Amino acid sequence: QVQLVESGGGLVQAGGSLRLSCVASGTIWSINVMGWYRQAPGKQRELVADFRTGGITKYLDLVKGRFSISKDNTKNTVYLQMNNLRPEDTAVYYCNFHNELNDGIWTREYWGQGTQVTVSS
């Protein structure tokens, strides 16, 4: 049974910080991308940050310089450190692992249940 369990969301004031955690369990095969997505009410899900083979990272332009993705392989955990939070960061944040081919096709994917982040002004 493959499972991604997220935690760390909550309510903070603008300018505050949160750290999201995603703990993976079970046997996860052939993934090469790990990261975080978010979805705000009425909007499509968007990539926040990810990393992949070779240690390459990618960030949503709106979060560059404020968010940082990291992992601890010994704990099977991926983190998203979020600093200087803004009200527009309010969304449900989802952990994602997947296998991505050279043409961009996802052949295998795992998702967390989501954790709510709410930033008040």
Side-chain angles (χ1 to χ4, degrees):
Q1 178 68 38
V2 175
Q3 187 171 242
L4 305 180
V5 179
E6 300 158 342
S7 62
L11 173 64
V12 297
Q13 293 186 340
S17 297
L18 288 171
R19 188 177 74 160
L20 306 183
S21 299
C22 172
V23 180
S25 63
T27 302
I28 302 176
W29 295 96
S30 301
I31 63 99
N32 58 12
V33 182
M34 294 175 280
W36 293 89
Y37 286 73
R38 70 184 184 186
Q39 187 167 26
K43 296 186 177 181
Q44 291 190 322
R45 187 169 56 197
E46 61 185 355
L47 174 67
V48 178
D50 70 19
F51 59 89
R52 55 191 67 204
T53 301
I56 303 299
T57 58
K58 182 178 181 180
Y59 291 92
L60 179 69
D61 285 344
L62 290 171
V63 309
K64 288 181 178 178
R66 300 188 297 118
F67 292 10
S68 179
I69 188 170
S70 62
K71 65 176 181 175
D72 185 340
N73 289 332
T74 66
K75 298 180 179 179
N76 298 315
T77 302
V78 179
Y79 303 97
L80 184 69
Q81 179 67 45
M82 305 185 294
N83 299 322
N84 300 315
L85 284 160
R86 305 167 179 169
E88 52 264 41
D89 294 318
T90 296
V92 178
Y93 285 71
Y94 298 91
C95 181
N96 167 261
F97 292 6
H98 70 268
N99 178 267
E100 186 172 325
L101 303 180
N102 290 334
D103 60 1
I105 297 295
W106 292 20
T107 62
R108 191 184 303 271
E109 61 186 279
Y110 306 95
W111 292 91
Q113 80 286 351
T115 184
Q116 177 71 46
V117 172
T118 303
V119 185
S120 62
S121 60

